[in-house]
Amino acid sequence: MASQLFLQLATPFLSLLLLLVAPATRSNRVFSVTDYGAVGDGIHYDTAAIQAAVDACAAAGGGRVLLPAPGNYLTATVHLRSRVLLEVPPGARLLGGTKQADYPPESRRWYVVLAENTTGSGITGGGEITGQGEAFVATPSEVKNVMVSWNATGDCLGDECRPRLVGFIDSKDVRIHDITLNQPAYWCLHLVRCDNTLIRNVSIFGDFNSPNNDGIDVEDSNNTVISDCHIDTGDDAICPKSTTGPVYNLTATNCWIRTRSCAIKFGSASYFNFHRLVFDNITIVDSHRGLGMQIRDGGNVSDVVFSNIKMSTRYYHPLWWGRAEPIYITTCPRHPDSKEGTISDIRFINISSVSENGVFLAGSTHGLLRDLKFKNVDLTYKRWTNYTGGLYDYRPGCQEMVKHKTGGMMLEHISGLEVDNVRMRWARGSLKGWDVNPLLFRPSTIDRLSFHDWRSVDVR
């Protein structure tokens, strides 16, 4: 049994090793954007010069496009090409424009840096790419900023019509490493239908009060490795989504996360399956949720491992999804006529948390949670903020916000839950509004429970 678990955990790391030692195929040729007319003063647009350098590099068979330091290079959308590595060294910054005219006509292509249908493209250098997200704040708020929306044309709707920072679409052999991505106006790093991607040593900083500035969104993309990243942002930090196809073979390891939303979140776009994902050696700090799944559109989740994770989760304003849950696994139909997906074979191994709320495990009538395992898990419950408790947050869709007693674990619509060496620790003096009941569930919705070496104890 131990050897099987080792192999299950080790396989993604072997894949990471193969990616890291894979021979480089790019040319060593360097194309400096200043040779093509870039001035780097942060005032005049350098788009034409940067794009000319990228195109020349691609025509020569590939290489590096260099933004010399020091310099602030203001740009509209830059289109990467195959076998082109964009190099932004320390002391150099690529600044995304803040006007709608800086971006392509279609909102789906609003990125500061965009690679479409490329092979072997990437970004590196140790410098910074910034979306100047502060320019998109229409009304600053300590609760939740109101953001500018570019929806006048009707090409996109609502308040999410803002440019993303970096996007790779329909691309393979993507390499993004040793770079800082700063202040996105919307999502920061977005993979769409990509295959064989390595994201390593990337620092992401988003405004903590701005909605929708996700860290890394892995959408319909497969064979992805995320390692040694620092993500400090307002919305979901690492977010697999399945909109047009499945997500499989994703490994995230050695990362530090702080977010006002969910640190690791599946969905809520979940039309296709998620399979074989591993999250290991992750530190989550002061986040609204820790480990989450919002399966709402009929896709199924299976074979997922969360291991060696330390976290603290706390309440923020209820305008943000989440109620301080360390673990939040849910599946229910987004709309009454939506299909219900299942979640199965999920393992939580070597997890510790200090949280203002309990674990929330909620399937639905035709979308059960199956075969969940908690092994070597230490859950400490205490309150230190003044936000109102006693609510379960099902958003988006489903039941929305529901008043409910708060317990160590709330369980519904589960078939197969194994608890092995789990500790619940209660800081009783600080638990305002809690039921302090270790388990809350309706027996008619639960079967196949197994408890071994499980304790619930008071702590000071």
Side-chain angles (χ1 to χ4, degrees):
M1 190 71 172
S3 61
Q4 288 179 341
L5 177 60
F6 173 78
L7 287 173
Q8 290 166 346
L9 292 173
T11 298
F13 299 116
L14 293 176
S15 300
L16 168 62
L17 181 61
L18 290 173
L19 283 168
L20 293 175
V21 302
T25 58
R26 296 188 185 90
S27 164
N28 289 323
R29 294 191 61 178
V30 178
F31 296 76
S32 173
V33 298
T34 54
D35 292 341
Y36 294 83
V39 296
D41 63 3
I43 300 171
H44 299 90
Y45 279 84
D46 288 318
T47 313
I50 297 170
Q51 194 63 60
V54 168
D55 293 344
C57 181
R64 292 181 291 144
V65 170
L66 175 67
L67 277 62
N72 293 304
Y73 300 87
L74 179 63
T75 188
T77 296
V78 172
H79 298 269
L80 285 187
R81 310 300 186 199
S82 291
R83 293 172 291 281
V84 173
L85 184 67
L86 182 64
E87 183 172 349
V88 187
R93 290 197 307 165
L94 184 66
L95 283 67
T98 59
K99 299 179 295 186
Q100 189 167 350
D102 294 333
Y103 297 89
E106 315 91 346
S107 62
R108 62 181 177 80
R109 301 176 70 229
W110 288 351
Y111 297 88
V112 176
V113 179
L114 173 60
E116 296 179 277
N117 299 293
T118 66
T119 298
S121 61
I123 300 172
T124 190
E128 176 186 331
I129 300 175
T130 176
Q132 303 195 86
E134 63 277 3
F136 295 82
V137 179
T139 306
S141 170
E142 286 301 313
V143 174
K144 194 174 187 179
N145 289 334
V146 176
M147 306 298 290
V148 168
S149 181
W150 292 346
N151 61 357
T153 64
D155 181 58
C156 59
L157 301 175
D159 64 353
E160 299 182 11
C161 299
R162 291 169 261 138
R164 299 171 176 89
L165 190 60
V166 174
F168 289 81
I169 300 174
D170 296 312
S171 295
K172 60 182 179 179
D173 303 335
V174 175
R175 300 293 180 266
I176 307 158
H177 58 92
D178 304 295
I179 195 75
T180 294
L181 304 178
N182 198 17
Q183 297 302 310
Y186 189 56
W187 295 354
C188 188
L189 176 54
H190 189 198
L191 306 178
V192 185
R193 296 182 299 276
C194 290
D195 185 61
N196 189 24
T197 299
L198 173 63
I199 301 168
R200 177 170 54 84
N201 194 28
V202 173
S203 296
I204 293 174
F205 299 96
D207 187 285
F208 207 57
N209 296 333
S210 292
N212 311 116
N213 60 352
D214 295 12
I216 302 173
D217 289 275
V218 182
E219 185 171 4
D220 314 332
S221 296
N222 304 306
N223 303 307
T224 306
V225 174
I226 301 168
S227 73
D228 304 287
C229 292
H230 178 109
I231 305 174
D232 192 340
T233 193
D235 224 305
D236 304 320
I238 299 176
C239 190
K241 297 176 180 290
S242 62
T243 304
T244 64
V247 177
Y248 57 82
N249 294 349
L250 166 63
T251 297
T253 182
N254 300 333
C255 294
W256 185 98
I257 295 171
R258 184 181 79 124
T259 172
R260 207 164 189 168
S261 197
C262 193
I264 297 169
K265 190 191 83 174
F266 290 50
S268 68
S270 50
Y271 297 90
F272 294 83
N273 292 347
F274 303 83
H275 183 57
R276 292 196 305 271
L277 287 80
V278 172
F279 301 88
D280 181 76
N281 193 25
I282 310 287
T283 299
I284 299 167
V285 177
D286 284 345
S287 296
H288 214 174
R289 276 189 178 132
L291 314 176
M293 295 184 187
Q294 291 177 329
I295 306 306
R296 300 291 184 267
D297 307 301
N300 301 310
V301 181
S302 63
D303 192 7
V304 179
V305 176
F306 299 99
S307 58
N308 304 308
I309 295 174
K310 296 181 179 179
M311 59 182 142
S312 64
T313 59
R314 51 155 292 179
Y315 285 108
Y316 289 101
H317 195 276
L319 281 176
W320 296 86
W321 288 350
R323 301 300 294 156
E325 308 94 341
I327 298 171
Y328 174 87
I329 307 299
T330 63
T331 175
C332 57
R334 187 184 300 272
H335 307 294
D337 56 351
S338 297
K339 183 181 176 183
E340 296 175 70
T342 62
I343 297 174
S344 63
D345 191 17
I346 314 299
R347 285 152 288 168
F348 303 91
I349 302 169
N350 300 334
I351 309 290
S352 65
S353 72
V354 178
S355 303
E356 289 197 285
N357 205 342
V359 172
F360 185 45
L361 307 176
S364 54
T365 304
H366 302 290
L368 293 179
L369 308 186
R370 300 180 184 274
D371 300 320
L372 311 183
K373 181 173 182 177
F374 289 72
K375 183 175 179 63
N376 303 334
V377 175
D378 195 316
L379 305 166
T380 298
Y381 304 122
K382 62 186 296 186
R383 289 293 309 271
W384 62 92
T385 70
N386 292 318
Y387 289 99
T388 301
L391 291 170
Y392 281 130
D393 187 353
Y394 288 84
R395 295 174 294 181
C398 310
Q399 304 176 61
E400 297 290 328
M401 299 281 277
V402 176
K403 290 185 178 181
H404 201 292
K405 294 180 179 179
T406 303
M409 282 188 177
M410 199 285 271
L411 316 174
E412 59 185 20
H413 298 292
I414 299 174
S415 179
L417 172 64
E418 181 179 348
V419 173
D420 183 3
N421 188 26
V422 171
R423 303 290 184 272
M424 293 184 180
R425 306 175 189 272
W426 304 82
R428 300 260 180 179
S430 67
L431 292 175
K432 299 171 290 186
W434 278 62
D435 186 331
V436 293
N437 192 326
L439 300 176
L440 295 174
F441 65 94
R442 288 182 299 162
S444 61
T445 70
I446 306 293
D447 69 2
R448 296 196 299 119
L449 297 183
S450 172
F451 291 84
H452 176 72
D453 194 13
W454 168 65
R455 300 179 190 176
S456 179
V457 298
D458 291 349
V459 296
R460 291 187 178 182

